[in-house]
Amino acid sequence: MLKNLHFISFFFMFLAINSAKAHTNSCQQDNEIVFIFKKNDHVPTTKYRTISGTINPIYISEQGDFKRSELIINNKSKTDTISRSVKGDLICMTYIYDSPKTYYYLFQKGDTIIFDYENGVPKATIFGRKTKEFDCNFEVSFKIQKPLDDFEFFDQNKRMRNELESKKHKTEIHDYTVKIHATLDSLFAKDLISKNVMKLYKEHTKYYEINVNKELLSKISADDLKQDDLLYMRGYQFFLDNYITKKIKETNTKSQPDNPKIAFDYVLKSKVFSVIVKDYLLYTTLCRIIESSSNVDSEMYFEKFKQEVHNKEMCNEIFEKYAFDLSKMKEEKKITYFLNSAKQKFTLDEILSKNKNKVIYVDFWASWCGPCRVSIPAFNNLKKMYKDKEVVFVNISIDKDLSAWKMASDKEKLFSSSSNLFAVNYPNAEFYQDLQLKTIPRYLLYNKKGELINNTAPHPESKEIEIELDKLLQE
């Protein structure tokens, strides 16, 4: 019996390895990377949720691209395999497996990676190329105790650190960084870890310490502001933000360091950044300007951006991302405009006219609104409940970022709906001003005559909405 169990175990391991090898060959041809996540039904002790509602997410970013994407896995009951097309040679993974416990991995284009789990702790194995012993799972193998971050401290103590505790924390972070670097140096000297992987961990802990102890910003070197190949690391991006904030405070004590316009103008005049880092900073601060400012300011700073940025592809990306081709429509006050996923234009009057003799239930939401997205499944369930009745369910996003709306719609399974709309001229249209639409989620109800009869309708989770819908259907 025992021999049979050993044979079965070996047989399934053999199948997994050969499956991984088959994936690897495909990846190398198609510039893909394949992730195989074995079944993991472990319940995390701390549940960190993203805005989209994902518990303990996984992010990947490519070298040469500062944007990161969330990897959605479904491996609670069975193995989940995900393939991703990639351009960069190196891919960094941030795996938040039991928040705030986070593991970092560095993979290559063409890799196939299998993740196994022990009590929820991920352990990665790379197939398709020769690796060194600690190229994966360094943090699992060397459990160097990381000091509590601010989130953990608050969770345990229900308060923030006092001044003395903050000072002690900075010392602890420094000691932790020294231990990590010493361990990495020792492994590299013994040829047990690759240079790129060692660099990932070293740079991550280095900038993590600086981001915790901002006094260290005064001790950085000129090269720290020119690390083009680190832009795919979140910690390095935070470091750049902290550096700019510090410099703005030093040059003008009365200015608002978090104001993206001030940050943009500072970066524009600065000569300390490399060309690529400067392009990145101009791009990200411009995005913040567009998402928090008027259309007039957005267009003015977009013109500055177009003149100064070296990577002109970024101009096209911004133009598409924020629908600058609709600039005139965004300023319209009398008519309320919408786009659907095919970028077809609709007006509010057209929607009401098209759905005459039907009850209309409207959901205002946005990709960045956590409560909105938590309520979308209930909205969708309500839609199914009334699918054979004369009720139209409309989702209207007040996002400024067209691409963020599209990605969120896809994840929330709204993209197939013809009634999933993008609010083109929010907040300028009189419709929004009359509603005083400043907080979301917010729900509206129209009767069969197309009249707005409730501008603060019940949430989709409530029983009240069913009562109101049933009442309006009988009219």
Side-chain angles (χ1 to χ4, degrees):
M1 182 68 177
L2 188 60
K3 287 183 178 179
N4 288 337
L5 288 174
H6 280 307
F7 173 77
I8 291 169
S9 177
F10 174 79
F11 176 72
F12 280 107
M13 179 61 75
F14 174 79
L15 286 179
I17 291 171
N18 279 278
S19 173
K21 286 180 178 178
H23 277 302
T24 301
N25 291 335
S26 172
C27 287
Q28 291 170 340
Q29 292 172 3
D30 301 330
N31 290 333
E32 288 185 342
I33 185 167
V34 176
F35 301 100
I36 301 173
F37 297 93
K38 293 290 191 69
K39 178 184 172 182
N40 176 30
D41 55 6
H42 174 75
V43 179
T45 55
T46 307
K47 294 185 178 182
Y48 168 79
R49 288 182 182 268
T50 63
I51 288 173
S52 63
T54 304
I55 297 174
N56 299 336
I58 302 170
Y59 298 103
I60 59 172
S61 52
E62 299 178 36
Q63 189 175 51
D65 189 351
F66 56 84
K67 296 180 286 296
R68 68 175 184 170
S69 59
E70 189 179 339
L71 205 63
I72 308 298
I73 65 172
N74 183 17
N75 65 335
K76 287 184 179 179
S77 59
K78 61 180 181 179
T79 296
D80 191 16
T81 301
I82 300 173
S83 298
R84 279 290 183 94
S85 296
V86 292
K87 295 179 181 178
D89 292 328
L90 297 177
I91 295 88
C92 179
M93 173 183 279
T94 305
Y95 198 137
I96 304 174
Y97 74 91
D98 196 356
S99 178
K101 299 182 182 72
T102 304
Y103 286 166
Y104 297 92
Y105 301 92
L106 192 67
F107 303 124
Q108 295 181 13
K109 181 165 57 180
D111 281 348
T112 292
I113 305 102
I114 293 181
F115 279 93
D116 272 307
Y117 298 87
E118 185 175 342
N119 296 322
V121 179
K123 187 173 182 181
T125 305
I126 298 174
F127 291 93
R129 65 179 170 90
K130 188 177 180 181
T131 59
K132 300 187 187 298
E133 185 174 349
F134 296 103
D135 280 355
C136 286
N137 313 307
F138 166 74
E139 290 150 312
V140 177
S141 304
F142 295 90
K143 296 179 181 178
I144 300 172
Q145 188 63 40
K146 185 178 180 181
L148 297 180
D149 65 15
D150 290 340
F151 174 84
E152 290 173 291
F153 184 89
F154 185 85
D155 189 53
Q156 288 188 15
N157 299 280
K158 308 306 177 191
R159 63 176 178 83
M160 301 298 290
R161 286 184 171 93
N162 60 37
E163 188 177 344
L164 188 63
E165 289 166 336
S166 293
K167 187 175 180 180
K168 181 183 177 183
H169 182 231
K170 291 173 184 177
T171 302
E172 291 171 343
I173 289 292
H174 177 71
D175 293 342
Y176 166 77
T177 302
V178 169
K179 287 178 184 177
I180 290 284
H181 286 209
T183 304
L184 290 166
D185 287 337
S186 175
L187 291 175
F188 185 69
K190 296 172 184 175
D191 200 29
L192 296 175
I193 193 168
S194 299
K195 187 175 182 179
N196 281 335
V197 178
M198 178 185 71
K199 182 178 180 181
L200 169 74
Y201 288 117
K202 274 196 166 186
E203 300 294 359
H204 169 73
T205 49
K206 170 186 172 180
Y207 291 109
Y208 176 73
E209 182 182 5
I210 295 173
N211 291 331
V212 170
N213 185 5
K214 295 181 178 60
E215 295 168 11
L216 297 175
L217 287 166
S218 59
K219 300 179 181 179
I220 64 168
S221 70
D223 287 341
D224 283 315
L225 303 173
K226 300 172 182 177
Q227 299 289 339
D228 300 344
D229 60 342
L230 297 184
L231 280 172
Y232 71 144
M233 284 177 51
R234 202 70 164 167
Y236 184 65
Q237 294 176 9
F238 289 147
F239 156 73
L240 292 170
D241 290 342
N242 286 327
Y243 173 82
I244 292 169
T245 299
K246 176 180 180 292
K247 287 299 178 183
I248 291 171
K249 285 180 178 178
E250 287 175 353
T251 54
N252 188 349
T253 54
K254 294 182 180 180
S255 67
Q256 298 173 305
D258 293 333
N259 186 323
K261 297 174 192 174
I262 295 173
F264 185 97
D265 291 334
Y266 170 80
V267 174
L268 200 64
K269 295 174 184 175
S270 178
K271 298 188 184 331
V272 298
F273 305 107
S274 69
V275 168
I276 293 176
V277 169
K278 187 169 185 175
D279 276 0
Y280 154 75
L281 290 169
L282 290 174
Y283 179 97
T284 52
T285 50
L286 176 62
C287 289
R288 287 166 54 206
I289 290 169
I290 295 170
E291 289 166 13
S292 63
S293 305
S294 67
N295 292 329
V296 173
D297 283 350
S298 297
E299 289 183 19
M300 179 177 72
Y301 275 88
F302 185 39
E303 287 303 316
K304 288 184 181 183
F305 180 80
K306 288 192 289 186
Q307 292 173 17
E308 296 294 332
V309 73
H310 286 77
N311 183 354
K312 297 304 179 184
E313 288 182 12
M314 288 182 167
C315 298
N316 296 330
E317 191 173 325
I318 290 284
F319 187 84
E320 290 292 326
K321 185 180 177 74
Y322 294 105
F324 271 93
D325 54 325
L326 304 175
S327 293
K328 289 184 179 179
M329 203 178 288
K330 289 178 183 178
E331 293 297 323
E332 175 61 45
K333 295 184 181 298
K334 298 291 183 184
I335 303 172
T336 308
Y337 286 105
F338 304 101
L339 291 182
N340 65 8
S341 58
K343 246 191 163 182
Q344 295 171 314
K345 301 177 186 67
F346 299 90
T347 66
L348 177 62
D349 289 341
E350 287 172 341
I351 293 170
L352 295 176
S353 176
K354 178 184 175 182
N355 294 295
K356 198 171 183 181
N357 299 319
K358 294 181 181 179
V359 176
I360 303 174
Y361 183 47
V362 177
D363 164 30
F364 285 106
W365 72 291
S367 65
W368 42 263
C369 172
C372 300
R373 297 184 66 168
V374 168
S375 294
I376 285 176
F379 186 91
N380 289 338
N381 289 336
L382 196 66
K383 186 176 180 179
K384 289 177 184 175
M385 190 185 304
Y386 285 86
K387 67 177 181 179
D388 296 323
K389 299 183 180 181
E390 296 296 302
V391 183
V392 176
F393 292 81
V394 180
N395 303 91
I396 299 175
S397 166
I398 63 169
D399 274 292
K400 285 196 172 185
D401 184 338
L402 202 61
S403 60
W405 165 63
K406 288 180 178 179
M407 284 190 288
S409 296
D410 188 47
K411 184 172 180 182
E412 302 296 346
K413 298 179 174 60
L414 297 176
F415 237 16
S416 59
S417 171
S418 59
S419 299
N420 177 39
L421 305 173
F422 180 85
V424 175
N425 53 339
Y426 174 83
N428 293 323
E430 291 176 359
F431 170 65
Y432 303 113
Q433 293 172 18
D434 292 341
L435 287 174
Q436 296 184 337
L437 183 63
K438 296 177 181 177
T439 59
I440 51 175
R442 173 95 172 266
Y443 303 92
L444 311 180
L445 265 176
Y446 287 84
N447 63 17
K448 291 181 180 180
K449 297 177 183 178
E451 298 169 336
L452 178 61
I453 51 93
N454 192 340
N455 65 8
T456 55
H459 283 231
E461 299 94 338
S462 67
K463 284 292 180 185
E464 287 81 0
I465 186 59
E466 294 178 38
I467 294 169
E468 290 209 26
L469 288 172
D470 291 341
K471 181 181 175 182
L472 288 169
L473 283 169
Q474 292 172 7
E475 290 181 356

